[in-house]
Amino acid sequence: MNRKKKIFIHIGFNKTGSTFIQSSLMANSEWLRRNGVLYPCDTRKPYFQINQHVPLASNLLDFDIHWLTEDKRKTVRSAYETFLEDVSADGCETILISSEAFGDSRLTQDHVNAAVSKLSDFEICVIAFIRPQPGYMLSAYQQDVKTGLAKDFDLNARIENRDNWFSKRLEVWKTAIGKSNIVVKPYLGSKFGELHIMETFLSTVGVSLPDDWVPVERQNESIDLHAMRILLRMNRHLTALTSQNKARFFHQKVRGKVLATIRNTIYEQKKLTFTREEADHILSIFSDDNKAYLSEEDYSLFEATENAALGSTNTRDFSETDIDLAMKVIISLAGEVMARKNR
């Protein structure tokens, strides 16, 4: 009887360095393969998009994912079949796939059961990183604004949001494969740096971070309060990436261009923060949920990490409009348009 290949499914969660992990795995895929771990990352294949396996996740989970590109959406039905052919032909006994879609808070038990059923020929292990909720909430909110949200930050709504209750999000996987097959680690990137994330991640898969590991740039940089104010107002007139409107990808490029222009503009940046009192209150609400999957040692590190989201005052006032900064952005973009017309 042939021994089952082991498949590690990295499910995120979102805002815990997932894009950095995926880019690192892709950049070092040959090293991984030489060491017995296959991260199949051919962007021409129907199961892979940019740096992760979101089309494969959509196929396995039988779940519609709004950020599938139009090209990958057309071939998503063949994603699992092609993936299976590729991993079966490869000699690696350990397979690694990654997409935050596998950890989407909207997944039902039926979605996860469907994926586990299709992967029944593999020994499945799920990997998830979780992050202290104060920093997670602010980072997730920034990402929502960057993709089209036009609403101010609402702490009570964020606390109630299922996205922040990590153990509840893991329940569907626990029911499907058992808690012993789920590895949960604290996201400590803000304290120890991104390479610490890769060291932790690779040790979970069974390999050590080598000296010749190819570094990649950090992804999804955070945005500050001034940029948030401008984007919030822009989003009232742009289509959100989560919509089904065909203009959503073009409008996302517009937001990206504006953000890039803001980052190249000299101004005093101001981070979004909670006060220590607010952060402690938030962590107390989620304490039992966070402890459900973390070891005592990991939880102590987890609690001590939440400094990136702290400030002496609450800097989440979106009521003002940064007219001067907005004018600089408009002038810069207008200058680029004029320069192109004169070429």
Side-chain angles (χ1 to χ4, degrees):
M1 180 176 173
N2 291 333
R3 179 170 168 266
K4 286 185 176 182
K5 290 189 176 186
K6 187 159 190 173
I7 187 165
F8 287 92
I9 306 176
H10 172 228
I11 69 173
F13 290 117
N14 55 317
K15 313 315 300 177
T16 61
S18 296
T19 304
F20 177 81
I21 290 172
Q22 292 154 357
S23 298
S24 295
L25 295 173
M26 190 173 180
N28 293 276
S29 60
E30 285 303 315
W31 182 92
L32 287 166
R33 194 166 182 271
R34 291 196 302 271
N35 286 271
V37 179
L38 177 65
Y39 186 70
C41 55
D42 187 339
T43 55
R44 298 168 298 179
K45 300 286 184 166
Y47 55 76
F48 199 76
Q49 176 177 305
I50 304 177
N51 57 12
Q52 62 164 290
H53 301 91
V54 58
L56 179 62
S58 181
N59 180 300
L60 288 172
L61 297 163
D62 192 20
F63 182 65
D64 182 54
I65 300 167
H66 67 82
W67 33 288
L68 269 179
T69 63
E70 293 302 322
D71 287 345
K72 295 300 180 179
R73 194 174 292 276
K74 292 175 183 176
T75 60
V76 71
R77 288 189 177 183
S78 62
Y80 176 61
E81 182 181 350
T82 308
F83 168 79
L84 196 59
E85 290 173 358
D86 287 355
V87 299
S88 297
D90 193 274
C92 290
E93 292 299 314
T94 300
I95 316 299
L96 179 56
I97 59 176
S98 175
S99 176
E100 298 95 311
F102 286 114
D104 195 297
S105 62
R106 297 168 297 165
L107 293 179
T108 66
Q109 195 62 59
D110 286 343
H111 290 131
V112 173
N113 287 347
V116 171
S117 177
K118 290 176 184 176
L119 295 172
S120 59
D121 289 335
F122 295 88
E123 181 184 345
I124 301 172
C125 179
V126 162
I127 304 173
F129 282 82
I130 66 174
R131 179 175 182 173
Q133 280 79 3
Y136 180 80
M137 286 180 183
L138 292 181
S139 184
Y141 177 67
Q142 290 176 61
Q143 185 64 29
D144 290 344
V145 173
K146 284 196 286 186
T147 55
L149 183 70
K151 295 180 180 179
D152 288 353
F153 185 88
D154 183 335
L155 179 56
N156 289 330
R158 290 276 158 177
I159 289 173
E160 294 174 4
N161 192 317
R162 183 178 170 82
D163 285 5
N164 298 289
W165 297 86
F166 300 124
S167 75
K168 292 179 181 177
R169 293 171 67 174
L170 286 164
E171 279 301 304
V172 286
W173 285 103
K174 177 184 173 183
T175 300
I177 63 173
K179 189 175 181 179
S180 61
N181 293 308
I182 300 173
V183 178
V184 179
K185 290 293 182 181
Y187 169 77
L188 305 175
S190 60
K191 188 175 181 67
F192 296 111
E194 303 294 348
L195 273 182
H196 181 271
I197 300 173
M198 286 312 308
E199 189 174 14
T200 302
F201 185 89
L202 292 177
S203 67
T204 302
V205 179
V207 293
S208 300
L209 186 72
D211 292 335
D212 59 347
W213 185 261
V214 178
V216 298
E217 291 185 8
R218 186 176 179 179
Q219 308 289 315
N220 288 337
E221 291 289 337
S222 61
I223 56 178
D224 82 325
L225 185 65
H226 304 289
M228 295 283 284
R229 288 168 174 164
I230 291 175
L231 281 184
L232 279 168
R233 282 151 184 79
M234 279 183 54
N235 287 342
R236 297 172 186 173
H237 309 283
L238 297 174
T239 300
L241 187 61
T242 54
S243 77
Q244 295 302 312
N245 190 311
K246 290 185 177 180
R248 68 187 187 277
F249 291 116
F250 174 72
H251 285 183
Q252 189 59 27
K253 288 181 180 179
V254 171
R255 275 186 287 267
K257 182 63 177 174
V258 169
L259 262 182
T261 305
I262 291 173
R263 286 185 175 126
N264 291 327
T265 303
I266 299 174
Y267 68 100
E268 184 182 355
Q269 296 193 0
K270 183 180 281 189
K271 292 176 62 176
L272 276 71
T273 61
F274 289 110
T275 63
R276 166 52 74 184
E277 183 180 5
E278 289 175 320
D280 287 345
H281 172 64
I282 294 167
L283 282 173
S284 69
I285 292 172
F286 293 98
S287 175
D288 290 342
D289 186 80
N290 292 333
K291 289 177 180 177
Y293 282 87
L294 290 177
S295 67
E296 188 174 334
E297 180 183 358
D298 280 344
Y299 185 74
S300 64
L301 284 170
F302 181 85
E303 255 195 333
T305 300
E306 198 44 80
N307 292 318
L310 298 181
S312 57
T313 59
N314 168 341
T315 54
R316 301 189 309 280
D317 180 7
F318 304 106
S319 60
E320 297 181 18
T321 303
D322 296 279
I323 298 297
D324 287 341
L325 181 57
M327 289 301 100
K328 288 179 181 179
V329 171
I330 292 170
I331 291 168
S332 177
L333 293 176
E336 287 188 27
V337 172
M338 294 298 293
R340 287 177 183 173
K341 285 186 176 181
N342 292 330
R343 285 174 187 170

